[in-house]
Amino acid sequence: MADISKGERRTGLVNGFAAYGMWGLVPLFWPLLKPAGSMEILAHRMVWSLVFVAVALVFVRRWAWAGELLRQPRRLALVTVAAAVITVNWGVYIWAVNAGHVVEASLGYFINPLVTIAMGVLLLKERLRPAQWAAVGVGFAAVVVLAVGYGQPPWISLVLAFSFATYGLVKKKVNLGGVESLAAETAIQFLPALGYLLWLVGHGESSFVNDGAGHAALLASTGIVTAVPLVCFGAAAIRVPLSTLGLLQYLAPVFQFLLGILYFHEAMPAERWAGFVLVWLALALLTWDALRTAHRTARALAAAPLPRPATPVAETPASQV
């Protein structure tokens, strides 16, 4: 990142704010798609996302990765797992928003970093610093408090957090770019989604067909709503430090939480406030620890002595090799 100009970093920040801002405001979009049910919306999102990213890839002529992926069965299997997990994540999120659970959905993305850390310990045998252990412990206490407040475990939040954390873990192993990854995943989702939409048409239950051109256009725009924030995120990721992206990621659940309280007027009794405060405390611990570690690393690198130049060795003329 050292060779990135100030103008490039500013562009990266704008794209980062745009990406997380759009993800944070997307609860305003899903209710516009009624009377379509959550399953129909999900299927349209899969189909139109593939159409949108395929057009984008044709425009930029980036197809070489597809042939390589098809020749690597293990990576293809991981993409299939990613597609299945993100299908669960998308479906639960759309249902939650349209069923009036925006606040609980936002909680899922607040606790996602804590779940990611826990999975790193359990699956990858990663070692945590004391502050990270404290954050995970506070996060677990928050889930207990919220379970008492809701009268049951906050299953929407947990499904969203665990599915997205699993998705991130799998995507790390696949190592594909954002747009390419979305294209591969939606290609796997495409046939089942299209089959379901055709089944709805055959049974006269398709709102895409039955509710006018405006409604059909909104359903088709789910592809744009899915892909544009991802493109902005990709533009940000190559221009701003990872620590900055880590802080920006909290914008989305903050916006979702505020929408749930101020726009959708969801109830927030005292026990839910207590649970959210604990989650925010855990995230504050994580952020403080990450910033402190980054600062220490930067100071250590700055204080490290420069390596001595190697003794020059005379080049051997090519004719003597």
Side-chain angles (χ1 to χ4, degrees):
M1 289 288 176
D3 56 347
I4 299 291
S5 68
K6 286 185 178 179
E8 284 286 289
R9 291 196 181 191
R10 193 178 301 115
T11 300
L13 277 174
V14 169
N15 277 281
F17 276 109
Y20 286 109
M22 284 185 276
W23 281 324
L25 296 175
V26 80
L28 296 172
F29 178 70
W30 304 125
L32 300 178
L33 304 181
K34 293 177 180 180
S38 300
M39 286 293 292
E40 184 179 1
I41 296 171
L42 175 64
H44 276 288
R45 186 178 191 182
M46 295 171 178
V47 168
W48 294 109
S49 292
L50 178 60
V51 172
F52 185 86
V53 294
V55 170
L57 289 171
V58 166
F59 183 74
V60 298
R61 299 180 181 180
R62 289 205 329 238
W63 288 105
W65 61 271
E68 295 175 7
L69 182 63
L70 290 173
R71 291 191 294 270
Q72 298 175 324
R74 183 175 177 275
R75 286 182 81 199
L76 194 57
L78 288 172
V79 170
T80 304
V81 172
V85 172
I86 202 62
T87 297
V88 172
N89 184 273
W90 285 357
V92 171
Y93 185 77
I94 292 168
W95 174 86
V97 170
N98 284 356
H101 299 289
V102 176
V103 170
E104 192 174 348
S106 75
L107 176 65
Y109 294 104
F110 275 126
I111 66 175
N112 175 66
L114 301 170
V115 172
T116 300
I117 288 173
M119 289 178 68
V121 173
L122 296 174
L123 301 179
L124 305 179
K125 308 302 180 185
E126 294 179 354
R127 298 180 64 181
L128 299 187
R129 296 182 292 273
Q132 291 175 311
W133 275 116
V136 172
V138 173
F140 180 78
V143 172
V144 172
V145 170
L146 288 163
V148 172
Y150 281 104
Q152 61 181 7
W155 70 268
I156 294 172
S157 308
L158 294 173
V159 169
L160 290 175
F162 276 92
S163 60
F164 201 71
T166 304
Y167 178 66
L169 181 66
V170 174
K171 278 175 72 73
K172 259 190 175 181
K173 294 183 178 295
V174 173
N175 193 26
L176 268 179
V179 176
E180 292 86 349
S181 180
L182 180 63
E185 292 154 17
T186 51
I188 291 168
Q189 296 167 332
F190 181 80
L191 286 179
L194 183 62
Y196 176 70
L197 293 177
L198 292 175
W199 181 87
L200 288 178
V201 172
H203 286 74
E205 298 176 10
S206 170
S207 69
F208 184 83
V209 173
N210 298 336
D211 288 271
H215 179 70
L218 279 173
L219 285 171
S221 69
T222 54
I224 298 174
V225 169
T226 300
V228 169
L230 190 64
V231 172
C232 291
F233 174 80
I238 61 174
R239 291 176 172 88
V240 299
L242 194 60
S243 57
T244 303
L245 277 182
L247 293 174
L248 286 176
Q249 73 172 330
Y250 296 130
L251 281 177
V254 166
F255 284 171
Q256 293 164 13
F257 176 79
L258 291 175
L259 283 174
I261 298 292
L262 302 176
Y263 183 81
F264 293 102
H265 304 293
E266 294 185 19
M268 278 294 290
E271 57 271 19
R272 291 185 194 172
W273 276 114
F276 269 86
V277 168
L278 285 173
V279 169
W280 295 332
L281 174 60
L283 293 177
L285 281 171
L286 275 186
T287 304
W288 169 77
D289 180 69
L291 292 175
R292 183 185 63 165
T293 303
H295 182 64
R296 284 181 174 177
T297 303
R299 281 202 309 178
L301 288 174
L306 293 173
R308 289 184 177 182
T311 304
V313 178
E315 292 183 359
T316 305
S319 59
Q320 295 184 12
V321 173

